[in-house]
Amino acid sequence: MATIYEVSKLAGVSLATVSRVMNDPSKVSEKTQKKVLAAMQQLDYRPNTIAQSLASNRSNCVGVLVSELHGPIFGTMVSSIEEELTRAGKFTIFTAGHSDAATERKGIEFLAGRKCDALILHVEALHNEFFAERQNRLLPFVLLNRFAPGLEENCISLNNELGGYQATRMLLDIGHHQIAYISGPLEWSDAKARLSGHQRALAEARIEFEDDLLVEGDYHESGGVRAMQRLLELGRPITAVVCANDEMAAGAMEVIRNSGRSIPEDISVVGFDNVRWSKFLYPKLTTVEYPVAEMSRMAAKWVLKNVYREPQVDLQYVFHPRLICRASAAAPAQGQKPAPAQVATGKKAGAGS
Amino acid sequence: MATIYEVSKLAGVSLATVSRVMNDPSKVSEKTQKKVLAAMQQLDYRPNTIAQSLASNRSNCVGVLVSELHGPIFGTMVSSIEEELTRAGKFTIFTAGHSDAATERKGIEFLAGRKCDALILHVEALHNEFFAERQNRLLPFVLLNRFAPGLEENCISLNNELGGYQATRMLLDIGHHQIAYISGPLEWSDAKARLSGHQRALAEARIEFEDDLLVEGDYHESGGVRAMQRLLELGRPITAVVCANDEMAAGAMEVIRNSGRSIPEDISVVGFDNVRWSKFLYPKLTTVEYPVAEMSRMAAKWVLKNVYREPQVDLQYVFHPRLICRASAAAPAQGQKPAPAQVATGKKAGAGS
DNA sequence: CTGTTAGCGCATTCAA
DNA sequence: TTGAATGCGCTAACAG
């Protein structure tokens, strides 16, 4: 590989001049610029980004830590971020945290070691305090999908509580009274928030929340299966179930179908996330949209604005979920309102926002 | 951030010694080693990987280019590779090629510029010649999901032809005669191979391949929808359709259902890839497994063996697909064999391998 | 506008 | 076993 030195020799200029045509061409006369460019071409010169980083102490590179590198949610995160950053001419380095505190720490260190200019972090295990302590010591960072009091300006988050509310509120509106809930792991704040949205909707409708009708799941399909089985074994006249994510909803739907019941005639199902394949389910899943792509792009923009000083970006810190009405939820058989879910809720469900 | 220089001062040794305890501790006496380690701890020292790369001309880092960073196939690639490499203590840098030749080239240059030790490439637009020409000029590379004559040792590929054969062969075995085929973009070799497997199975059964029953799709759900619509408009007594990937199968299934037909009673559907959500479809999709995870891990192992010289790794270059029988395919209504697809084909379909 | 010079943080000779 | 010296390829003052 040709180096900047060889280029300078061939072009008959100094090494600094070559560097200038790459970083600030305005400081070089057109003529020498052409000579240098020609020499670069001829030698098929590519700058060594490693050396650039070392010398400039910037890497034009932002580090991204996500829990996993695959799956509909994380996949969307990763590719949305990359897209936005690439468009701005920045590079991206990804690493996985696997929802484990030690791994997450190591990931952050890895990224810091690679001299990233900024960090976009989707962590699940590390606590808010970890970041509060490091707010000034660590390189610039945004927390994606987290709301940390005191760090509001570093957080891009979703109003999960509202999402939970929207789902249950819609079911109540179309006449359901016996609504079960399959939650995510309740030690996680998003799972907690979605559940309390559900509870708020119930309270508002003066329906008592019953512990029996809540099963804690794990955000996985298998967890949805187990949870739904437990729910059916209860023998209660459940007419609807809201699942804290689509993955578990897929599991729940299968159990419901296998039990001889039909969806939504016997039991309505509502999911959360609106992952890509949720509309491939049968019936198509009614769910609450988690706008991962926009939020991820916003995290990238945060970096563009705060680190690379791009002026014309408007930041939004908190995002709102949105109910997507499809076919898996409808009025209960004995319900008063004959209107299908799609119509009945289109207007009302948004009221909470 | 503390540097190696500060550590050496605090430990009262030379800079070279500190470097040694990191890279080859056996060359340093236990005593000084302890001193250095203590100093590192005290200063919370982390080596600057950028500087390490520049000085050593290795980065312990492998570059990965995939078409997209999201989706069930690429997501699996990305995370399997990262997992395998991380386990071996190597780092991974990802970038996306977006099935575009120019972008793919830029991606490769980016990775090369970051001084990766090796490249794992899933390219779709760049031709075999590109790599043949660069075999010795480029840093070590493996092509994932491609078979390039002359570069066999650099390719990890799937026998796509066999997969296409398996799907159609199974349908023939259970009594189908009118089998439609929705292919991928036929300029791509994997799409071509899957199709010719289908054709081979037909030929073997002495059934003439009819152009009418072939529709070229685009590997997307929407393409599956369009293709299936065209197929139904033909008005032919089709009893089965094989789709060149699960994505299109999802689209096809929806069209079939909307037309008032049922699956598999009226039309059997077979997919290809066995993506995670294919079993969430209703009925669960019978499909051909593309073992992405294993193949991706194998690509990582290729690098471990050929670049990092890990001895005990056995390489496999060509992988075989496998038919996964679920519920979307069964004997046709007027078929002779009453046995369900699961049973009838469990033994026979594998014959081709 | 251009060239000279001095590092960036580390690995790696070569001597000692 | 250790230390001193050199350079990886480039950027960034500082002069000119």
Side-chain angles (χ1 to χ4, degrees):
Chain A
M1 265 299 199
T3 72
I4 200 174
Y5 177 69
E6 305 173 46
V7 174
S8 75
K9 269 204 315 199
L10 192 132
V13 298
S14 85
L15 181 159
T17 303
V18 178
S19 175
R20 283 191 194 100
V21 327
M22 304 179 57
N23 299 306
D24 193 355
S26 73
K27 298 192 147 186
V28 180
S29 77
E30 290 244 348
K31 257 182 59 182
T32 46
Q33 217 174 115
K34 273 199 188 118
K35 281 194 300 189
V36 173
L37 256 12
M40 284 171 140
Q41 191 108 50
Q42 190 178 331
L43 293 172
D44 191 35
Y45 168 76
R46 328 250 161 211
N48 180 328
T49 52
I50 294 288
Q52 286 178 320
S53 302
L54 187 60
S56 65
N57 203 29
R58 310 182 262 94
S59 56
N60 259 311
C61 188
V62 357
V64 178
L65 175 78
V66 288
S67 293
E68 303 296 336
L69 295 172
H70 65 263
I73 297 290
F74 298 119
T76 305
M77 272 188 198
V78 159
S79 66
S80 306
I81 292 174
E82 198 252 3
E83 201 176 310
E84 190 73 29
L85 255 20
T86 298
R87 175 174 24 217
K90 309 303 176 191
F91 300 120
T92 319
I93 297 187
F94 298 97
T95 189
H98 298 299
S99 309
D100 170 76
T103 313
E104 288 179 350
R105 284 179 93 118
K106 268 207 255 175
I108 293 176
E109 281 170 19
F110 164 58
L111 296 171
R114 311 269 338 158
K115 290 291 164 229
C116 292
D117 297 331
L119 261 29
I120 296 178
L121 306 173
H122 180 282
V123 297
E124 295 186 321
L126 253 24
H127 295 302
N128 289 348
E129 296 75 45
F130 179 90
F131 300 99
E133 290 168 7
R134 286 167 180 72
Q135 186 172 11
N136 297 312
R137 208 144 52 75
L138 204 59
L139 48 173
F141 65 90
V142 220
L143 300 181
L144 184 48
N145 195 33
R146 173 175 293 210
F147 181 83
L151 290 175
E152 288 84 0
E153 302 262 297
N154 295 70
C155 291
I156 306 289
S157 65
L158 177 70
N159 187 337
N160 281 295
E161 197 271 350
L162 177 58
Y165 174 85
Q166 289 172 337
T168 300
R169 169 67 189 269
M170 176 274 283
L171 290 170
L172 291 165
D173 281 348
I174 59 175
H176 290 274
H177 296 100
Q178 294 274 342
I179 306 175
Y181 190 93
I182 301 179
S183 78
L186 289 174
E187 82 239 62
W188 290 357
S189 61
D190 58 351
K192 256 187 305 203
R194 291 175 184 190
L195 172 59
S196 47
H198 164 72
Q199 291 170 321
R200 175 161 66 91
L202 288 182
E204 215 178 87
R206 307 199 181 289
I207 291 183
E208 195 189 355
F209 168 75
E210 299 176 68
D211 267 339
D212 267 10
L213 298 186
L214 164 67
V215 182
E216 182 171 352
D218 57 3
Y219 276 154
H220 296 298
E221 186 224 359
S222 53
V225 167
R226 280 193 300 274
M228 196 66 222
Q229 281 166 343
R230 271 208 18 215
L231 248 16
L232 291 183
E233 283 164 9
L234 246 46
R236 308 253 324 235
I238 296 166
T239 62
V241 56
V242 0
C243 304
N245 77 350
D246 293 348
E247 191 88 14
M248 294 193 299
M253 284 171 76
E254 198 191 334
V255 171
I256 294 173
R257 201 161 29 230
N258 288 347
S259 78
R261 295 173 176 82
S262 45
I263 306 167
E265 291 76 8
D266 298 317
I267 298 186
S268 286
V269 177
V270 180
F272 203 119
D273 282 350
N274 190 29
V275 301
R276 177 164 160 57
W277 48 257
S278 66
K279 61 170 176 298
F280 295 165
L281 295 178
Y282 183 75
K284 298 180 187 205
L285 187 65
T286 288
T287 187
V288 176
E289 181 187 42
Y290 165 17
V292 218
E294 291 103 281
M295 288 173 57
S296 305
R297 261 184 259 123
M298 191 53 72
K301 284 181 184 162
W302 186 98
V303 172
L304 256 24
K305 178 172 190 126
N306 291 304
V307 178
Y308 296 116
R309 301 294 163 196
E310 296 200 356
Q312 70 284 33
V313 272
D314 284 324
L315 261 29
Q316 178 183 350
Y317 296 97
V318 178
F319 284 70
H320 286 196
R322 189 168 60 98
L323 188 64
I324 309 281
C325 290
R326 289 200 277 247
S328 69
Q334 71 279 31
Q336 307 89 320
K337 308 194 185 186
Q342 288 85 329
V343 178
T345 65
K347 305 147 201 166
K348 296 189 175 177
S353 65
Chain B
M1 264 299 197
T3 74
I4 201 174
Y5 176 69
E6 305 174 46
V7 174
S8 74
K9 268 203 319 197
L10 193 133
V13 298
S14 85
L15 183 159
T17 303
V18 178
S19 176
R20 283 190 193 101
V21 329
M22 303 178 59
N23 298 306
D24 193 355
S26 72
K27 297 189 148 189
V28 180
S29 77
E30 291 244 348
K31 257 182 62 181
T32 47
Q33 217 173 115
K34 273 198 187 119
K35 280 194 300 188
V36 172
L37 256 14
M40 285 172 138
Q41 191 108 48
Q42 189 178 332
L43 293 173
D44 192 33
Y45 169 76
R46 329 247 162 214
N48 180 328
T49 52
I50 295 287
Q52 286 178 321
S53 301
L54 186 60
S56 65
N57 204 29
R58 299 183 271 93
S59 56
N60 258 310
C61 187
V62 357
V64 178
L65 175 78
V66 288
S67 293
E68 303 297 337
L69 295 172
H70 65 264
I73 297 290
F74 298 120
T76 305
M77 272 189 199
V78 159
S79 66
S80 307
I81 292 173
E82 198 251 5
E83 201 176 312
E84 189 75 28
L85 254 21
T86 297
R87 180 181 12 224
K90 308 303 176 191
F91 300 120
T92 320
I93 296 187
F94 298 97
T95 189
H98 298 301
S99 309
D100 171 74
T103 312
E104 289 178 349
R105 284 179 92 120
K106 267 206 256 172
I108 293 177
E109 280 169 19
F110 164 57
L111 296 172
R114 310 268 340 158
K115 290 292 165 230
C116 292
D117 298 330
L119 261 30
I120 297 177
L121 306 173
H122 180 281
V123 297
E124 296 187 318
L126 254 23
H127 295 301
N128 290 346
E129 296 76 45
F130 179 88
F131 300 99
E133 289 168 7
R134 287 167 179 71
Q135 186 172 11
N136 298 312
R137 208 146 52 75
L138 204 60
L139 47 175
F141 65 90
V142 220
L143 300 180
L144 185 48
N145 196 33
R146 175 175 292 211
F147 180 83
L151 290 175
E152 288 84 359
E153 303 261 297
N154 296 70
C155 291
I156 306 290
S157 65
L158 177 70
N159 187 336
N160 281 294
E161 198 270 349
L162 176 58
Y165 174 84
Q166 288 172 339
T168 300
R169 169 68 189 268
M170 176 274 283
L171 290 170
L172 290 165
D173 281 347
I174 59 175
H176 291 273
H177 296 101
Q178 294 274 341
I179 305 175
Y181 190 92
I182 301 178
S183 77
L186 289 173
E187 82 239 65
W188 291 357
S189 61
D190 58 350
K192 257 187 304 207
R194 291 175 185 190
L195 173 58
S196 47
H198 165 71
Q199 292 170 320
R200 175 161 67 90
L202 288 181
E204 217 178 84
R206 309 200 178 290
I207 293 184
E208 196 188 354
F209 168 75
E210 298 175 69
D211 266 339
D212 267 11
L213 298 186
L214 166 67
V215 181
E216 182 172 350
D218 57 3
Y219 277 155
H220 297 298
E221 186 223 0
S222 51
V225 167
R226 282 191 301 274
M228 196 65 223
Q229 283 166 341
R230 273 207 18 214
L231 248 15
L232 291 183
E233 283 163 9
L234 247 44
R236 309 251 326 233
I238 295 166
T239 62
V241 56
V242 0
C243 304
N245 76 350
D246 293 347
E247 191 89 11
M248 295 194 298
M253 284 172 76
E254 197 190 335
V255 172
I256 294 174
R257 199 158 34 225
N258 288 346
S259 78
R261 295 173 176 80
S262 46
I263 305 166
E265 290 76 9
D266 298 317
I267 298 187
S268 286
V269 178
V270 181
F272 202 121
D273 281 350
N274 190 30
V275 301
R276 175 164 162 56
W277 47 257
S278 65
K279 62 170 177 296
F280 295 165
L281 296 178
Y282 181 75
K284 299 182 187 204
L285 187 65
T286 289
T287 188
V288 177
E289 180 187 42
Y290 165 17
V292 218
E294 290 102 282
M295 287 173 57
S296 304
R297 260 182 259 124
M298 190 55 72
K301 284 181 185 163
W302 186 99
V303 172
L304 258 22
K305 176 172 192 131
N306 290 306
V307 178
Y308 296 116
R309 301 297 163 195
E310 295 200 355
Q312 69 283 35
V313 270
D314 283 325
L315 260 30
Q316 178 183 351
Y317 297 96
V318 179
F319 284 71
H320 286 197
R322 189 167 60 97
L323 188 65
I324 309 281
C325 290
R326 290 201 276 246
S328 69
Q334 72 279 33
Q336 308 88 322
K337 307 194 184 187
Q342 288 85 331
V343 179
T345 64
K347 305 148 198 165
K348 295 189 175 176
S353 65

